[in-house]
Amino acid sequence: MAAATSNGKSSGLRSVFLQVYARLKSELLQDPAFDWTEDSRQWIDRMLEYNVPGGKLNRGLSVIDSYKLLKDGQELSEDEIFLSCSLGWCIEWLQAYFLVLDDIMDGSHTRRGQPCWFRVPKVDMIAINDGILLRNHIPRILRKNFRERPYYVDLLDLFNEVEFQTASGQMLDLITTHEGEKDLSKYTMPVYCRIVQYKTAYYSFYMPVACALLMSGENLDNFTDVKNILIEMGTYFQVQDDYLDCFGDPKVIGKIGTDIEDFKCSWLVVQALERADENQRKILSENYGKSDAAHVAKVKQLYKDLDLESVYLEYESKSYEKLIASIEVQPSKSVQEVLKSFLGKIYKRQK
C-alpha cells in the first residue's frame, strides 16, 4: 500500500504525520495517570522510537488520504489534519503492539531490518509488558484527543472490535501452523481465507477507511458493502504477499521470503495441494517446512511444475475485475474514490 500519489505530496504528508507522532509521544510521556521517573520515561521513549514509527506507515497515512477523498478534496483544517493523523497513529500503535508480541510468539530474529525488540539487550521478556503498554496507549490517545467528539464511543468500539478480530486470526494461524504438528491436510482455501481476513484484512484495510468514515460523521452500519470490499482487497493483498515471497525479486521486495521454510499456510501451498497428484503431495509433505536450500528448491520446482505463476496471474486479473465491479455500484462517488485509491496502490505491485 503506497501512501500517496505524488512524491511531493507524499513526503509533505509524511513530514506532517511524523510531527503529530512527536506530539502524541510527548503527551504520553507526560500522562498524569502515572507517576513518572526518569528511568521509566526514558524506557518508554526508547521503546516507542524503536517500534512505532519505523515501518512504511501506509495504514496510518491511509486514514488521512481516505478522509481527504471523503471530503471531496477540500482543504483540511489544522484540526482535521491533526485528528486524522492521530487516528492514523493509533493504527500504527496497534500494528506495533501486534508485531512486538508476534515476534516473541514466532521466535523471530529481525523486524524492519533490525533485531526484534525482545532481542535487544536488556529487553528480553519485558517486551511482553511493552506490548501491553502499546495497546494501552491507544485509548489514552483517543481519550485525550477525541473525548468531546460525537464519534468517540464508536472509535473505541472500532479499535476493540478490530483488535479482537486480529487476535482471533492470529490464534487461528498459530493453531493451524503449530510447530511439531506439521499437517498439510489442514491447509485448505477456506482456512487460508479465514486466517487472512481476520489476521490482516480488518486492521490493514478496513480500519483506516472506518476511521475516516467516523470522522466524516458516518454510521459504519451503513457501510457493510464497503467493509466487505476492503476485506476482499486485504485478502488479495495477502495473496500477492505470498506470491512475492516465493517469486518476487528479493532486491525489489527488500527481503528473502521464508514461507516455505516456516511451514506457512501460504496461498501457494494451498493452490499446490489442490492441484497435486499423489506423488507431488508426497514431495510437498517431505520438503515443505524444512529450512535447508535443497528442500526449498524442490518445493519451488513443484510450484513451477504446477504453473502456479499462471494461476496467480489469472487470480490477480479476476480479483481486480471483481473488485472494480463491486466498487462501481457504490452509491457514493467519494467512497468509490477511496476504494479505487486503495486498489490502485496495490494492483500489480512488485513489493
Side-chain angles (χ1 to χ4, degrees):
M1 290 192 294
T5 47
S6 79
N7 286 338
K9 278 184 186 172
S10 178
S11 59
L13 178 59
R14 192 182 180 90
S15 170
V16 171
F17 194 53
L18 288 167
Q19 286 168 29
V20 172
Y21 162 75
R23 176 173 159 183
L24 296 175
K25 184 182 80 166
S26 174
E27 288 174 355
L28 287 167
L29 292 173
Q30 307 296 327
D31 194 320
F34 180 63
D35 186 11
W36 293 91
T37 63
E38 195 52 40
D39 281 353
S40 61
R41 191 174 273 120
Q42 283 178 6
W43 180 276
I44 296 298
D45 192 346
R46 176 175 170 236
M47 185 271 287
L48 290 176
E49 285 298 310
Y50 199 92
N51 294 294
V52 178
K56 301 188 198 81
L57 308 182
N58 293 331
R59 292 168 184 83
L61 289 164
S62 291
V63 177
I64 309 139
D65 285 345
S66 300
Y67 184 65
K68 276 184 180 170
L69 289 167
L70 290 171
K71 296 276 287 183
D72 295 322
Q74 290 174 31
E75 201 66 35
L76 302 187
S77 68
E78 262 186 55
D79 191 44
E80 287 175 315
I81 290 168
F82 173 71
L83 292 176
S84 57
C85 284
S86 297
L87 288 181
W89 278 115
C90 284
I91 299 176
E92 294 295 334
W93 246 268
L94 191 68
Q95 159 88 333
Y97 153 60
F98 290 145
L99 297 185
V100 165
L101 297 183
D102 274 8
D103 287 342
I104 297 169
M105 285 181 262
D106 294 344
S108 301
H109 289 270
T110 59
R111 168 72 65 184
R112 296 169 176 169
Q114 58 184 4
C116 297
W117 177 238
F118 81 99
R119 300 272 183 194
V120 171
K122 298 184 180 176
V123 176
D124 197 43
M125 289 302 111
I126 297 173
I128 295 172
N129 194 63
D130 289 334
I132 295 166
L133 283 169
L134 285 165
R135 168 63 184 93
N136 277 274
H137 285 162
I138 297 164
R140 309 304 293 171
I141 293 169
L142 293 176
R143 186 171 185 268
K144 176 154 182 65
N145 297 295
F146 293 89
R147 199 175 181 186
E148 305 306 319
R149 305 281 161 175
Y151 51 89
Y152 173 59
V153 172
D154 294 318
L155 277 176
L156 292 175
D157 275 352
L158 175 67
F159 275 87
N160 286 335
E161 181 109 338
V162 170
E163 183 195 1
F164 169 70
Q165 289 164 326
T166 308
S168 299
Q170 170 74 346
M171 174 269 298
L172 191 59
D173 191 18
L174 290 168
I175 65 174
T176 305
T177 61
H178 201 284
E179 191 62 40
E181 295 178 17
K182 293 184 172 175
D183 180 5
L184 283 172
S185 69
K186 290 182 179 178
Y187 289 7
T188 63
M189 195 50 69
V191 168
Y192 173 81
C193 288
R194 194 173 286 116
I195 291 171
V196 170
Q197 174 181 335
Y198 286 100
K199 188 179 173 183
T200 304
Y202 276 102
Y203 90 95
S204 297
F205 281 78
Y206 172 60
M207 197 168 208
V209 176
C211 284
L213 285 166
L214 287 175
M215 261 193 77
S216 302
E218 299 287 0
N219 182 336
L220 294 182
D221 291 342
N222 300 331
F223 291 88
T224 307
D225 286 351
V226 171
K227 179 197 277 191
N228 292 336
I229 290 167
L230 287 160
I231 298 308
E232 212 168 304
M233 225 181 275
T235 303
Y236 164 55
F237 179 82
Q238 187 59 51
V239 171
Q240 285 178 316
D241 242 26
D242 293 353
Y243 173 80
L244 292 170
D245 184 272
C246 180
F247 292 108
D249 180 349
K251 289 177 188 164
V252 176
I253 61 176
K255 63 178 181 179
I256 296 165
T258 59
D259 282 0
I260 295 170
E261 295 95 315
D262 296 341
F263 199 72
K264 282 287 168 75
C265 184
S266 154
W267 184 83
L268 290 170
V269 78
V270 173
Q271 292 293 333
L273 287 163
E274 285 186 356
R275 289 165 170 74
D277 60 28
E278 199 174 325
N279 185 48
Q280 289 168 325
R281 288 180 81 92
K282 189 167 181 282
I283 292 169
L284 270 177
S285 65
E286 288 172 356
N287 294 282
Y288 200 71
K290 306 278 175 63
S291 56
D292 60 287
H295 286 100
V296 173
K298 283 180 183 173
V299 175
K300 287 191 175 182
Q301 186 56 53
L302 179 59
Y303 287 172
K304 285 184 174 145
D305 293 344
L306 293 168
D307 199 15
L308 292 191
E309 287 187 79
S310 296
V311 174
Y312 169 75
L313 291 172
E314 187 183 351
Y315 166 84
E316 181 172 56
S317 173
K318 284 186 175 170
S319 293
Y320 182 78
E321 286 169 18
K322 187 181 173 191
L323 284 163
I324 283 290
S326 301
I327 290 167
E328 288 183 340
V329 297
Q330 293 306 304
S332 161
K333 286 289 178 195
S334 57
V335 168
Q336 282 189 29
E337 288 305 309
V338 170
L339 295 170
K340 283 181 179 176
S341 164
F342 263 76
L343 186 55
K345 290 165 187 173
I346 64 172
Y347 181 54
K348 286 195 178 295
R349 69 188 175 96
Q350 298 300 311
K351 61 178 181 179

